[in-house]
Amino acid sequence: MTLDEIMRLAPVIPVLTIEDPAHAIPLGRALVAGGLSVLEVTLRTSAAIDCIRAMAQEVEGAVVGAGTVLSGGARQASADAGAKFAVSPGLIDGESPNGAVPLLPGIATATELMRGLRAGFTAFKLFPANVVGGVEALKGFSGPFPEARFCPTGGVSLANAPDYLALSNVVCVGGSWVAPAEAVRAGDWGRITELAREASALAVRRP
Ligand code: 3PG
């Protein structure tokens, strides 16, 4: 599946930081049950790679990717574990769109966007979206960079997601709000399915 196809599967990509590997499969199933099939597991815990492998194998209907991918080596390790995409908070030197697995690099400025476009990328994570200009930054980028598509992430919530999803250059948003840490710790999968349901019902004006 191409990155563009993956980004169009659901309006929200849950950003998941999983401490306990036992949570991976029920968490993934809860999100998919609520309509969010694209899952980003951040490489911020020692369990992350095992969680990606388990979710990719066991969560039916999920398209599992890796987040917080900071190097080409981490991109390769994610692919080896079964990730279908990788997300980075920034541009990774020397990495191109077609590596081990499709890469969604982060940018925060016009200069970074120009570097990314030069490297052949057309889809970017705006990060941290709410800090680096949010909706107004994305409107600003749409003039000089009409080919660029975005997944804003960082400070996105159910309340402000509609403002992002209404923009013509936004394909989807990312956020951790659909899997609150306390609900994961408590195994409150019903709550997470409910949050996913609200998020998956958000309307998108797709480019
Ligand atoms: C992150 O890097 O943690 C993601 O961008 C999620 O940000 P959020 O917690 O503000 O949704």
Side-chain angles (χ1 to χ4, degrees), residues 15 17 40 42 44 68 89 125-129 153-157 174-177:
V15 177
T17 299
E40 175 186 334
T42 63
R44 295 183 205 171
T68 320
K125 162 173 167 163
L126 179 74
F127 180 77
T153 306
V156 181
S157 64
S176 61
W177 87 89

Side-chain angles (χ1 to χ4, degrees), residues 123-149:
F124 301 89
K125 162 173 167 163
L126 179 74
F127 180 77
N130 279 15
V131 178
V132 299
V135 165
E136 295 307 320
L138 291 165
K139 282 185 188 164
F141 289 153
S142 70
F145 310 113
E147 69 276 48
R149 299 285 174 260

